[in-house]
mmCIF file with all atom_site columns, all heavy atoms in Angstrom:
data_model
loop_
_atom_site.group_PDB
_atom_site.id
_atom_site.type_symbol
_atom_site.label_atom_id
_atom_site.label_alt_id
_atom_site.label_comp_id
_atom_site.label_asym_id
_atom_site.label_entity_id
_atom_site.label_seq_id
_atom_site.pdbx_PDB_ins_code
_atom_site.Cartn_x
_atom_site.Cartn_y
_atom_site.Cartn_z
_atom_site.occupancy
_atom_site.B_iso_or_equiv
_atom_site.pdbx_formal_charge
_atom_site.auth_seq_id
_atom_site.auth_comp_id
_atom_site.auth_asym_id
_atom_site.auth_atom_id
_atom_site.pdbx_PDB_model_num
ATOM 1   N N   . ASN A 1 48 ? 15.225 12.701 4.444  1.00 97.00 ? 333 ASN A N   1
ATOM 2   C CA  . ASN A 1 48 ? 16.645 12.340 4.421  1.00 97.00 ? 333 ASN A CA  1
ATOM 3   C C   . ASN A 1 48 ? 16.992 11.367 5.540  1.00 97.00 ? 333 ASN A C   1
ATOM 4   O O   . ASN A 1 48 ? 17.776 10.436 5.348  1.00 97.00 ? 333 ASN A O   1
ATOM 5   C CB  . ASN A 1 48 ? 17.534 13.589 4.503  1.00 97.00 ? 333 ASN A CB  1
ATOM 6   C CG  . ASN A 1 48 ? 17.524 14.385 3.224  1.00 97.00 ? 333 ASN A CG  1
ATOM 7   O OD1 . ASN A 1 48 ? 17.261 13.854 2.150  1.00 97.00 ? 333 ASN A OD1 1
ATOM 8   N ND2 . ASN A 1 48 ? 17.795 15.674 3.341  1.00 97.00 ? 333 ASN A ND2 1
ATOM 9   N N   . THR A 1 49 ? 16.400 11.562 6.710  1.00 97.00 ? 334 THR A N   1
ATOM 10  C CA  . THR A 1 49 ? 16.608 10.638 7.825  1.00 97.00 ? 334 THR A CA  1
ATOM 11  C C   . THR A 1 49 ? 16.119 9.244  7.455  1.00 97.00 ? 334 THR A C   1
ATOM 12  O O   . THR A 1 49 ? 16.787 8.245  7.726  1.00 97.00 ? 334 THR A O   1
ATOM 13  C CB  . THR A 1 49 ? 15.885 11.140 9.095  1.00 97.00 ? 334 THR A CB  1
ATOM 14  O OG1 . THR A 1 49 ? 16.443 12.407 9.470  1.00 97.00 ? 334 THR A OG1 1
ATOM 15  C CG2 . THR A 1 49 ? 16.030 10.165 10.245 1.00 97.00 ? 334 THR A CG2 1
ATOM 16  N N   . ALA A 1 50 ? 14.954 9.168  6.812  1.00 98.00 ? 335 ALA A N   1
ATOM 17  C CA  . ALA A 1 50 ? 14.403 7.878  6.396  1.00 98.00 ? 335 ALA A CA  1
ATOM 18  C C   . ALA A 1 50 ? 15.308 7.208  5.370  1.00 98.00 ? 335 ALA A C   1
ATOM 19  O O   . ALA A 1 50 ? 15.581 6.004  5.458  1.00 98.00 ? 335 ALA A O   1
ATOM 20  C CB  . ALA A 1 50 ? 13.001 8.057  5.828  1.00 98.00 ? 335 ALA A CB  1
ATOM 21  N N   . ILE A 1 51 ? 15.799 7.971  4.405  1.00 98.00 ? 336 ILE A N   1
ATOM 22  C CA  . ILE A 1 51 ? 16.687 7.416  3.379  1.00 98.00 ? 336 ILE A CA  1
ATOM 23  C C   . ILE A 1 51 ? 17.964 6.881  4.012  1.00 98.00 ? 336 ILE A C   1
ATOM 24  O O   . ILE A 1 51 ? 18.409 5.771  3.708  1.00 98.00 ? 336 ILE A O   1
ATOM 25  C CB  . ILE A 1 51 ? 16.979 8.457  2.285  1.00 98.00 ? 336 ILE A CB  1
ATOM 26  C CG1 . ILE A 1 51 ? 15.712 8.693  1.450  1.00 98.00 ? 336 ILE A CG1 1
ATOM 27  C CG2 . ILE A 1 51 ? 18.145 8.023  1.393  1.00 98.00 ? 336 ILE A CG2 1
ATOM 28  C CD1 . ILE A 1 51 ? 15.810 9.846  0.470  1.00 98.00 ? 336 ILE A CD1 1
ATOM 29  N N   . GLU A 1 52 ? 18.550 7.650  4.910  1.00 97.00 ? 337 GLU A N   1
ATOM 30  C CA  . GLU A 1 52 ? 19.769 7.212  5.594  1.00 97.00 ? 337 GLU A CA  1
ATOM 31  C C   . GLU A 1 52 ? 19.516 5.956  6.415  1.00 97.00 ? 337 GLU A C   1
ATOM 32  O O   . GLU A 1 52 ? 20.340 5.034  6.437  1.00 97.00 ? 337 GLU A O   1
ATOM 33  C CB  . GLU A 1 52 ? 20.318 8.330  6.473  1.00 97.00 ? 337 GLU A CB  1
ATOM 34  C CG  . GLU A 1 52 ? 20.891 9.483  5.681  1.00 97.00 ? 337 GLU A CG  1
ATOM 35  C CD  . GLU A 1 52 ? 21.262 10.676 6.547  1.00 97.00 ? 337 GLU A CD  1
ATOM 36  O OE1 . GLU A 1 52 ? 21.213 10.584 7.790  1.00 97.00 ? 337 GLU A OE1 1
ATOM 37  O OE2 . GLU A 1 52 ? 21.594 11.725 5.952  1.00 97.00 ? 337 GLU A OE2 1
ATOM 38  N N   . ALA A 1 53 ? 18.369 5.891  7.085  1.00 97.00 ? 338 ALA A N   1
ATOM 39  C CA  . ALA A 1 53 ? 18.029 4.713  7.891  1.00 97.00 ? 338 ALA A CA  1
ATOM 40  C C   . ALA A 1 53 ? 17.869 3.484  6.998  1.00 97.00 ? 338 ALA A C   1
ATOM 41  O O   . ALA A 1 53 ? 18.350 2.393  7.336  1.00 97.00 ? 338 ALA A O   1
ATOM 42  C CB  . ALA A 1 53 ? 16.754 4.976  8.691  1.00 97.00 ? 338 ALA A CB  1
ATOM 43  N N   . LEU A 1 54 ? 17.212 3.651  5.856  1.00 98.00 ? 339 LEU A N   1
ATOM 44  C CA  . LEU A 1 54 ? 17.050 2.551  4.916  1.00 98.00 ? 339 LEU A CA  1
ATOM 45  C C   . LEU A 1 54 ? 18.403 2.072  4.395  1.00 98.00 ? 339 LEU A C   1
ATOM 46  O O   . LEU A 1 54 ? 18.644 0.870  4.275  1.00 98.00 ? 339 LEU A O   1
ATOM 47  C CB  . LEU A 1 54 ? 16.139 2.967  3.760  1.00 98.00 ? 339 LEU A CB  1
ATOM 48  C CG  . LEU A 1 54 ? 14.662 3.148  4.128  1.00 98.00 ? 339 LEU A CG  1
ATOM 49  C CD1 . LEU A 1 54 ? 13.935 3.944  3.052  1.00 98.00 ? 339 LEU A CD1 1
ATOM 50  C CD2 . LEU A 1 54 ? 14.005 1.804  4.363  1.00 98.00 ? 339 LEU A CD2 1
ATOM 51  N N   . GLU A 1 55 ? 19.281 3.005  4.111  1.00 98.00 ? 340 GLU A N   1
ATOM 52  C CA  . GLU A 1 55 ? 20.633 2.641  3.663  1.00 98.00 ? 340 GLU A CA  1
ATOM 53  C C   . GLU A 1 55 ? 21.382 1.896  4.765  1.00 98.00 ? 340 GLU A C   1
ATOM 54  O O   . GLU A 1 55 ? 22.085 0.916  4.485  1.00 98.00 ? 340 GLU A O   1
ATOM 55  C CB  . GLU A 1 55 ? 21.405 3.887  3.232  1.00 98.00 ? 340 GLU A CB  1
ATOM 56  C CG  . GLU A 1 55 ? 20.891 4.478  1.944  1.00 98.00 ? 340 GLU A CG  1
ATOM 57  C CD  . GLU A 1 55 ? 21.503 5.818  1.588  1.00 98.00 ? 340 GLU A CD  1
ATOM 58  O OE1 . GLU A 1 55 ? 22.066 6.505  2.474  1.00 98.00 ? 340 GLU A OE1 1
ATOM 59  O OE2 . GLU A 1 55 ? 21.390 6.194  0.417  1.00 98.00 ? 340 GLU A OE2 1
ATOM 60  N N   . ASP A 1 56 ? 21.219 2.339  6.007  1.00 96.00 ? 341 ASP A N   1
ATOM 61  C CA  . ASP A 1 56 ? 21.863 1.656  7.139  1.00 96.00 ? 341 ASP A CA  1
ATOM 62  C C   . ASP A 1 56 ? 21.383 0.212  7.270  1.00 96.00 ? 341 ASP A C   1
ATOM 63  O O   . ASP A 1 56 ? 22.136 -0.649 7.727  1.00 96.00 ? 341 ASP A O   1
ATOM 64  C CB  . ASP A 1 56 ? 21.588 2.397  8.450  1.00 96.00 ? 341 ASP A CB  1
ATOM 65  C CG  . ASP A 1 56 ? 22.339 3.713  8.561  1.00 96.00 ? 341 ASP A CG  1
ATOM 66  O OD1 . ASP A 1 56 ? 23.268 3.951  7.747  1.00 96.00 ? 341 ASP A OD1 1
ATOM 67  O OD2 . ASP A 1 56 ? 21.992 4.512  9.453  1.00 96.00 ? 341 ASP A OD2 1
ATOM 68  N N   . LEU A 1 57 ? 20.148 -0.043 6.864  1.00 97.00 ? 342 LEU A N   1
ATOM 69  C CA  . LEU A 1 57 ? 19.602 -1.404 6.909  1.00 97.00 ? 342 LEU A CA  1
ATOM 70  C C   . LEU A 1 57 ? 20.046 -2.244 5.708  1.00 97.00 ? 342 LEU A C   1
ATOM 71  O O   . LEU A 1 57 ? 19.737 -3.423 5.630  1.00 97.00 ? 342 LEU A O   1
ATOM 72  C CB  . LEU A 1 57 ? 18.077 -1.363 6.957  1.00 97.00 ? 342 LEU A CB  1
ATOM 73  C CG  . LEU A 1 57 ? 17.456 -0.889 8.266  1.00 97.00 ? 342 LEU A CG  1
ATOM 74  C CD1 . LEU A 1 57 ? 15.949 -0.732 8.113  1.00 97.00 ? 342 LEU A CD1 1
ATOM 75  C CD2 . LEU A 1 57 ? 17.790 -1.845 9.401  1.00 97.00 ? 342 LEU A CD2 1
ATOM 76  N N   . GLY A 1 58 ? 20.753 -1.619 4.763  1.00 97.00 ? 343 GLY A N   1
ATOM 77  C CA  . GLY A 1 58 ? 21.258 -2.347 3.601  1.00 97.00 ? 343 GLY A CA  1
ATOM 78  C C   . GLY A 1 58 ? 20.393 -2.258 2.360  1.00 97.00 ? 343 GLY A C   1
ATOM 79  O O   . GLY A 1 58 ? 20.643 -2.951 1.379  1.00 97.00 ? 343 GLY A O   1
ATOM 80  N N   . PHE A 1 59 ? 19.381 -1.394 2.396  1.00 98.00 ? 344 PHE A N   1
ATOM 81  C CA  . PHE A 1 59 ? 18.517 -1.208 1.229  1.00 98.00 ? 344 PHE A CA  1
ATOM 82  C C   . PHE A 1 59 ? 19.095 -0.124 0.319  1.00 98.00 ? 344 PHE A C   1
ATOM 83  O O   . PHE A 1 59 ? 19.977 0.627  0.710  1.00 98.00 ? 344 PHE A O   1
ATOM 84  C CB  . PHE A 1 59 ? 17.100 -0.834 1.667  1.00 98.00 ? 344 PHE A CB  1
ATOM 85  C CG  . PHE A 1 59 ? 16.406 -1.921 2.425  1.00 98.00 ? 344 PHE A CG  1
ATOM 86  C CD1 . PHE A 1 59 ? 16.269 -1.853 3.805  1.00 98.00 ? 344 PHE A CD1 1
ATOM 87  C CD2 . PHE A 1 59 ? 15.901 -3.023 1.773  1.00 98.00 ? 344 PHE A CD2 1
ATOM 88  C CE1 . PHE A 1 59 ? 15.634 -2.847 4.512  1.00 98.00 ? 344 PHE A CE1 1
ATOM 89  C CE2 . PHE A 1 59 ? 15.261 -4.042 2.468  1.00 98.00 ? 344 PHE A CE2 1
ATOM 90  C CZ  . PHE A 1 59 ? 15.135 -3.960 3.849  1.00 98.00 ? 344 PHE A CZ  1
ATOM 91  N N   . SER A 1 60 ? 18.538 -0.052 -0.894 1.00 97.00 ? 345 SER A N   1
ATOM 92  C CA  . SER A 1 60 ? 18.946 0.963  -1.874 1.00 97.00 ? 345 SER A CA  1
ATOM 93  C C   . SER A 1 60 ? 17.750 1.864  -2.182 1.00 97.00 ? 345 SER A C   1
ATOM 94  O O   . SER A 1 60 ? 17.118 1.710  -3.236 1.00 97.00 ? 345 SER A O   1
ATOM 95  C CB  . SER A 1 60 ? 19.441 0.283  -3.155 1.00 97.00 ? 345 SER A CB  1
ATOM 96  O OG  . SER A 1 60 ? 20.536 -0.553 -2.878 1.00 97.00 ? 345 SER A OG  1
ATOM 97  N N   . PRO A 1 61 ? 17.434 2.794  -1.286 1.00 98.00 ? 346 PRO A N   1
ATOM 98  C CA  . PRO A 1 61 ? 16.255 3.638  -1.471 1.00 98.00 ? 346 PRO A CA  1
ATOM 99  C C   . PRO A 1 61 ? 16.490 4.714  -2.529 1.00 98.00 ? 346 PRO A C   1
ATOM 100 O O   . PRO A 1 61 ? 17.598 5.233  -2.691 1.00 98.00 ? 346 PRO A O   1
ATOM 101 C CB  . PRO A 1 61 ? 16.068 4.274  -0.102 1.00 98.00 ? 346 PRO A CB  1
ATOM 102 C CG  . PRO A 1 61 ? 17.449 4.315  0.476  1.00 98.00 ? 346 PRO A CG  1
ATOM 103 C CD  . PRO A 1 61 ? 18.136 3.086  -0.047 1.00 98.00 ? 346 PRO A CD  1
ATOM 104 N N   . LYS A 1 62 ? 15.425 5.027  -3.255 1.00 98.00 ? 347 LYS A N   1
ATOM 105 C CA  . LYS A 1 62 ? 15.454 6.097  -4.264 1.00 98.00 ? 347 LYS A CA  1
ATOM 106 C C   . LYS A 1 62 ? 14.225 6.968  -4.077 1.00 98.00 ? 347 LYS A C   1
ATOM 107 O O   . LYS A 1 62 ? 13.095 6.465  -4.136 1.00 98.00 ? 347 LYS A O   1
ATOM 108 C CB  . LYS A 1 62 ? 15.426 5.517  -5.678 1.00 98.00 ? 347 LYS A CB  1
ATOM 109 C CG  . LYS A 1 62 ? 16.539 4.544  -5.986 1.00 98.00 ? 347 LYS A CG  1
ATOM 110 C CD  . LYS A 1 62 ? 17.810 5.260  -6.322 1.00 98.00 ? 347 LYS A CD  1
ATOM 111 C CE  . LYS A 1 62 ? 18.844 4.264  -6.820 1.00 98.00 ? 347 LYS A CE  1
ATOM 112 N NZ  . LYS A 1 62 ? 20.081 4.298  -6.147 1.00 98.00 ? 347 LYS A NZ  1
#
Side-chain angles (χ1 to χ4, degrees):
N333 288 335
T334 298
I336 290 171
E337 290 172 7
L339 290 163
E340 289 172 341
D341 288 347
L342 288 173
F344 295 103
S345 300
K347 303 280 188 234

